[in-house]
Amino acid sequence: MDASKRPLRIPPKFAIYAEKHGIFDLYQGILEVLVVNKPDDPLAFIQEWLKRENDDVPSIVIQGPPASGKTTLAKMVCAKIRTAYLTPENIIEDDVTDLGDSAKSLIQKGEEVPPDMWVGLLKNRLKFFDCIKKGWLLEGFPRTREETHAMQVAGIFPKHFVLLEAPDAVLIERQAGKRIDPDTGDVYHLTFDWPADVEVEKRLVEAEGEDTIIKKLIEYHRHIDGLTRCYQHVSHTMNADQPKSDVFAQVMSFLSRRARSVALRTPRIILLGPTGAGKKLQAALISKKYSIVHVSCGHLLRENVADETKLGLAVRPYIDRGMMVPDNLVLKIIDGRLSQLDCVSHGWVLTGYPLNREQGEILHTSGHQPNRVFVMDIPDDSALERLTLRFTDPITGERYHSIYNPPPTFEAKDRLSQHQTDTEDSVKQRLAQYHSYKEELTDYYSTCVHINADQDTHTVFEFLESMIVNPLPAKLTRV
């Protein structure tokens, strides 16, 4: 073959290395901090920024109307992930600079603290070791669009914005039973959360009255729409009119979601599952919608045999005799296809390989490491029903199924034929082979996602699609 016409092969390790070490996200982070901070010496600033031990720490804002439970929820989240708990009150208390004194003076006079001053106080607090090392959770701030814009100008942007919502009537009723411990600031309720300690019970005081809460609700509703528009890409609204344990569980689920990165990411998908699970159909749907290359192991082998390539000639005797093709030959064929320009540029979805742990390890060693692995689970009875009852019209080439897609005429029904691989014995043999290697294969791909494939085709596709386009959930670690 003329060297100028040979298919271009790009080593897949380039993209895998960049994704593994977060190179694209690193460049994005460097550009962000440079634009926000505008240092006089960019190179020295980048060096100091790169020396930070951990930049992937929580940065959370919890906001909601009065009596929505945001204080209780914020403290529960901070106790769970051990992050710094910030409120407008303790930010001012912790600030010992002249800016803090000015803010305290304004509050004592009953005047509003300007947004720029609030953000200055917040920037001072975020420089503390606990915020840098463990991250931060800000409760009840920002409250207006102006404060939000001031935070964004200063480069302070949360990764997660939690908004609690409940009907005003429920909030007013909650406020009537609300009690506060003046020593600790902890919030209790006459009905839902009464303290067990008698001493705490004695010192509880009533919260604000109904007139005050109504005024605060009016003020809250005036500003909340403008505020949420600023955080629409990182926000999630929670129904606060339910048990706090349920709200807490939903919030933790939201916080475990990684923010979608704008960094380049080439999909490398493997679909595993028994015969009859619909792997090829789902791969075809994914390929059609996202222009990802569908690589079918069986199709590749037959294509090489038909084209009489060197590998095809080596594979032909095994296929003619119905024997398993040696792993080294299969890998060479798959490696050659996955290294071509279209697969490296657009990504690939692989079906029919690997079939066991050893093949998975060989594929990994060759540099083709998937970033999504799905296991399509289906009961054996359903697989048998799908495969053993399907037939082909030898004249038209149309495929039919005795239950789901019967032939239109008796004449067509009489001439239907069944492929030799769709007989009950053949299907049972392939199912047994899959189950013998399933456990070791799923153990090897520990991050694989299981899907119930025994349902409507489009339902399965929607689930696959959601897991492909969105980052996989992260596990929040305690520092």
Side-chain angles (χ1 to χ4, degrees):
M1 181 186 291
D2 185 354
S4 64
K5 296 182 179 178
R6 295 181 62 184
L8 179 62
R9 287 168 52 91
I10 299 177
K13 294 181 180 179
F14 292 164
I16 293 173
Y17 176 83
E19 288 184 19
K20 180 179 179 181
H21 297 281
I23 301 300
F24 299 118
D25 292 315
L26 179 63
Y27 275 109
Q28 179 186 347
I30 291 174
L31 289 174
E32 285 180 355
V33 296
L34 286 177
V35 170
V36 169
N37 293 278
K38 302 178 181 64
D40 295 329
D41 188 349
L43 292 179
F45 179 84
I46 292 173
Q47 289 177 347
E48 289 299 319
W49 184 77
L50 291 174
K51 290 179 182 178
R52 296 179 63 173
E53 293 183 12
N54 182 19
D55 187 52
D56 189 21
V57 294
S59 53
I60 307 164
V61 169
I62 294 183
Q63 186 56 279
S68 61
K70 55 184 181 291
T71 300
T72 302
L73 183 63
K75 290 182 177 180
M76 291 173 68
V77 172
C78 288
K80 178 68 175 179
I81 62 177
R82 293 184 179 176
T83 192
Y85 173 58
L86 308 181
T87 65
E89 292 75 21
N90 65 30
I91 288 174
I92 290 181
E93 291 177 5
D94 295 338
D95 197 292
V96 294
T97 64
D98 293 339
L99 188 63
D101 294 336
S102 300
K104 293 173 186 175
S105 176
L106 289 174
I107 293 175
Q108 290 174 355
K109 296 176 182 178
E111 300 178 10
E112 290 286 335
V113 178
D116 291 340
M117 183 176 291
W118 273 120
V119 173
L121 294 169
L122 181 58
K123 288 186 68 174
N124 292 341
R125 182 63 181 85
L126 295 183
K127 294 177 183 177
F128 284 24
F129 178 78
D130 58 346
C131 292
I132 296 175
K133 182 70 175 177
K134 300 179 180 181
W136 48 270
L137 185 153
L138 181 58
E139 181 241 313
F141 190 89
R143 294 159 294 197
T144 65
R145 187 180 180 87
E146 291 74 19
E147 292 174 346
T148 306
H149 282 168
M151 286 178 59
Q152 292 176 344
V153 170
I156 304 172
F157 197 87
K159 297 175 183 176
H160 297 90
F161 180 83
V162 178
L163 179 63
L164 302 178
E165 279 193 351
D168 288 354
V170 173
L171 298 174
I172 294 172
E173 183 181 352
R174 281 188 184 181
Q175 185 70 14
K178 189 175 179 180
R179 299 293 184 269
I180 299 175
D181 184 344
D183 292 353
T184 63
D186 292 335
V187 179
Y188 298 94
H189 196 275
L190 290 174
T191 306
F192 307 116
D193 187 19
W194 193 245
D197 191 337
V198 178
E199 295 300 323
V200 174
E201 181 182 344
K202 291 180 179 178
R203 62 174 182 258
L204 293 181
V205 296
E206 291 188 15
E208 297 164 330
E210 183 175 334
D211 293 340
T212 304
I213 192 71
I214 291 175
K215 290 179 181 179
K216 287 189 174 182
L217 284 171
I218 294 173
E219 183 74 12
Y220 168 81
H221 290 304
R222 181 183 301 132
H223 295 289
I224 191 59
D225 289 340
L227 191 150
T228 52
R229 280 196 291 270
C230 297
Y231 292 129
Q232 58 183 328
H233 298 298
V234 295
S235 67
H236 190 71
T237 302
M238 306 283 181
N239 177 20
D241 188 18
Q242 55 182 325
K244 66 179 181 181
S245 58
D246 294 345
V247 180
F248 175 70
Q250 294 173 27
V251 169
M252 292 305 299
S253 175
F254 169 63
L255 297 181
S256 70
R257 301 178 197 170
R258 296 174 181 172
R260 184 177 297 180
S261 172
V262 296
L264 298 174
R265 184 176 67 85
T266 305
R268 301 185 301 277
I269 307 163
I270 290 180
L271 297 183
L272 303 175
T275 181
K279 301 184 293 295
K280 290 182 181 178
L281 175 59
Q282 295 299 329
L285 292 173
I286 294 170
S287 175
K288 182 178 180 180
K289 182 166 184 177
Y290 294 102
S291 300
I292 301 172
V293 182
H294 176 202
V295 180
S296 169
C297 180
H299 178 76
L300 272 182
L301 294 177
R302 292 188 294 272
E303 185 179 55
N304 276 265
V305 170
D307 293 344
E308 296 184 348
T309 64
K310 289 183 179 180
L311 288 173
L313 294 174
V315 165
R316 181 191 291 274
Y318 297 98
I319 293 180
D320 291 342
R321 296 170 187 169
M323 300 171 59
M324 293 291 293
V325 181
D327 288 344
N328 62 326
L329 294 177
V330 178
L331 180 65
K332 287 181 180 178
I333 292 175
I334 291 179
D335 177 57
R337 185 66 187 91
L338 297 183
S339 298
Q340 291 182 15
L341 180 61
D342 57 348
C343 286
V344 176
S345 302
H346 301 289
W348 46 263
V349 51
L350 178 61
T351 59
Y353 193 90
L355 301 177
N356 53 50
R357 184 188 180 99
E358 184 179 355
Q359 291 181 353
E361 292 173 347
I362 294 173
L363 186 67
H364 181 92
T365 305
S366 67
H368 303 291
Q369 302 169 18
N371 46 28
R372 293 289 189 278
V373 178
F374 300 101
V375 182
M376 300 176 63
D377 296 319
I378 184 174
D380 288 355
D381 292 342
S382 297
L384 283 166
E385 182 184 276
R386 287 184 178 185
L387 299 179
T388 60
L389 297 180
R390 67 182 183 182
F391 300 90
T392 305
D393 187 334
I395 295 179
T396 64
E398 290 290 330
R399 273 194 169 185
Y400 298 101
H401 193 278
S402 299
I403 299 176
Y404 306 116
N405 183 29
T409 64
F410 287 105
E411 183 181 355
K413 181 179 180 181
D414 291 338
R415 65 173 181 255
L416 294 182
S417 63
Q418 186 179 49
H419 195 276
Q420 59 183 2
T421 59
D422 287 344
T423 62
E424 185 172 344
D425 291 340
S426 177
V427 173
K428 286 183 176 179
Q429 183 179 354
R430 298 202 303 275
L431 288 172
Q433 183 180 6
Y434 168 76
H435 290 303
S436 63
Y437 292 109
K438 176 184 177 181
E439 186 175 352
E440 66 176 41
L441 191 57
T442 53
D443 286 345
Y444 178 69
Y445 291 115
S446 57
T447 59
C448 65
V449 179
H450 287 263
I451 300 173
N452 175 20
D454 189 20
Q455 51 186 334
D456 179 74
T457 299
H458 297 289
T459 302
V460 177
F461 176 71
E462 287 175 1
F463 183 85
L464 281 170
E465 185 180 31
S466 68
M467 298 302 292
I468 292 171
V469 300
N470 293 314
L472 292 176
K475 186 176 181 180
L476 292 175
T477 56
R478 299 174 66 166
V479 182

